[in-house]
Amino acid sequence: MKFLDEQAVRELLRMEALIPVMEDALRALSSAEAVQPLRNVLSVPGHGGFFFTMPASVSGQLGAKLVTFYPDNKDVHTHHALIMLFRPETGEPLAVMDGRLITEMRTAAVSAAATRRLARKDARSLAIIGSGVQAQSHLEAMRLVRQFEEVSVWSPTRAEAFAREHGVRAATSAEDAVRGADVVVVATTSRTPVLQGSWLSPGVHVNAVGAPRPDWRELDDEALGRCRLYVEAREAASRESGDVIAAGHIFAEIGEVIGGQRPGRQHEDDITLFKSVGVAVEDIAAAGLVYRASGDAGLKPAWPADSGTAHRSS
């Protein structure tokens, strides 16, 4: 059985390869070709943390992620994880790998897959609310699916440092970052709304990846009311996301859009929202990509080399 620590995962995993793998996993999930239960959540008494168990079978891969989420962590990451892969034919363990970086990168790759389908083709400005690892990962992923001429970032802590490090503009407020933007990423640990609908321009696409609890919110009621809402999985989003619960409706799963069953953007002025809670098929498909890149042939490719929805751009 192979063990891959975070440094090994970092050397093997590339965002440009991960995005199409996420597209295929989401398509498989929405087409009933993948199996995943709702994740189990354990609140850690006295420490404000959460422990999640997330099994899945997708595209010839079988595994589970164990992940902790401590939103109040200051000097260490808020998320830590291990992902285990098993041989689907026999149940034999194949690998254990660090899942923190996979969680970080697959979240951004899924947002990129949604942005490819939902953002306007001529989107040129990006706003990011947040300045942590998800902000950094999303900046990389967003630039792979749209050609941005202007990027603005805001956070209450280190927007200036983030802007200097990545060569983008530090906004003076969340409103300053968002107004006029073509694509918005909300990647915070806030439990109350940080994005207001009154700031959103016609035609904007929003990716919201925080607030993963049913009583937490990233978006205000006006934002939810103005957006056409897309999610990874209806059942998971409806139970786990306070924003989705408040919205009261879901237009489509993004995998249905990738697979052609439901429409993406229909008009230039549509305001679209992809609300991500993170689902197990993403982690297992990403771990399978890492495992194959490590030189083992114990898992089948996620799709045939010469075909597959994931290879088509749109």
Side-chain angles (χ1 to χ4, degrees):
M1 184 173 61
K2 178 173 290 190
F3 177 78
L4 299 168
D5 64 12
E6 181 169 318
Q7 182 57 37
V9 172
R10 189 178 301 277
E11 292 171 358
L12 294 166
L13 190 58
R14 295 290 177 267
M15 188 67 77
E16 57 268 27
L18 182 58
I19 293 171
V21 169
M22 294 299 94
E23 291 173 333
D24 192 73
L26 292 164
R27 180 205 57 77
L29 180 62
S30 294
S31 302
E33 298 172 19
V35 179
Q36 65 167 34
L38 282 174
R39 60 183 152 201
N40 288 318
V41 184
L42 172 70
S43 296
V44 183
H47 299 286
F50 302 91
F51 179 73
F52 304 85
T53 57
M54 302 170 62
S57 173
V58 57
S59 301
Q61 297 147 124
L62 174 67
K65 182 169 82 166
L66 304 178
V67 56
T68 59
F69 174 43
Y70 280 64
D72 297 326
N73 281 359
K74 301 301 181 185
D75 299 321
V76 295
H77 290 293
T78 58
H79 291 77
H80 299 272
L82 290 175
I83 299 176
M84 294 161 284
L85 292 179
F86 300 83
R87 193 180 304 277
E89 297 84 359
T90 63
E92 298 168 89
L94 292 173
V96 176
M97 65 186 72
D98 189 277
R100 192 211 64 79
L101 183 63
I102 287 176
T103 302
E104 173 189 324
M105 291 182 65
R106 64 82 157 141
T107 303
V110 167
S111 292
T115 300
R116 178 176 282 165
R117 269 73 186 183
L118 300 178
R120 297 198 320 267
K121 302 295 185 185
D122 63 349
R124 292 293 180 265
S125 58
L126 170 66
I128 302 174
I129 301 179
S131 58
V133 296
Q134 280 302 334
Q136 178 175 313
S137 192
H138 273 76
L139 179 59
E140 177 188 1
M142 294 297 105
R143 284 173 162 167
L144 290 173
V145 295
R146 289 294 184 271
Q147 299 298 314
F148 293 110
E149 298 170 355
E150 179 183 351
V151 179
S152 300
V153 62
W154 179 84
S155 83
T157 54
R158 55 182 302 273
E160 292 282 353
F162 185 97
R164 286 193 302 271
E165 181 180 353
H166 297 284
V168 301
R169 181 180 78 92
T172 58
S173 65
E175 180 178 1
D176 175 43
V178 169
R179 281 199 181 274
D182 299 319
V183 177
V184 176
V185 171
V186 187
T188 76
T189 57
S190 178
R191 305 182 189 193
T192 57
V194 295
L195 179 68
Q196 297 184 22
S198 61
W199 304 341
L200 299 175
S201 301
V204 67
H205 169 64
V206 178
N207 298 297
V209 303
R213 301 293 299 145
D215 55 344
W216 296 7
R217 295 276 300 275
E218 282 190 307
L219 315 174
D220 73 357
D221 290 341
E222 183 175 351
L224 295 173
R226 296 185 66 192
C227 293
R228 182 179 296 124
L229 177 60
Y230 298 80
V231 299
E232 295 144 310
R234 285 182 177 83
E235 184 178 17
S238 297
R239 294 198 183 190
E240 297 178 359
S241 167
D243 289 311
V244 173
I245 293 168
H249 68 279
I250 295 169
F251 180 76
E253 295 179 350
I254 195 64
E256 294 173 327
V257 179
I258 294 169
Q261 289 84 40
R262 296 284 282 168
R265 174 170 295 275
Q266 299 173 63
H267 305 287
E268 287 296 298
D269 287 346
D270 286 346
I271 298 178
T272 54
L273 165 63
F274 174 61
K275 179 62 189 182
S276 170
V277 296
V279 292
V281 296
E282 299 163 359
D283 299 296
I284 303 312
L289 177 64
V290 171
Y291 184 72
R292 291 189 298 276
S294 73
D296 282 273
L299 290 178
K300 300 175 184 177
W303 63 83
D306 59 351
S307 65
T309 303
H311 288 285
R312 296 200 301 266
S313 62
S314 60

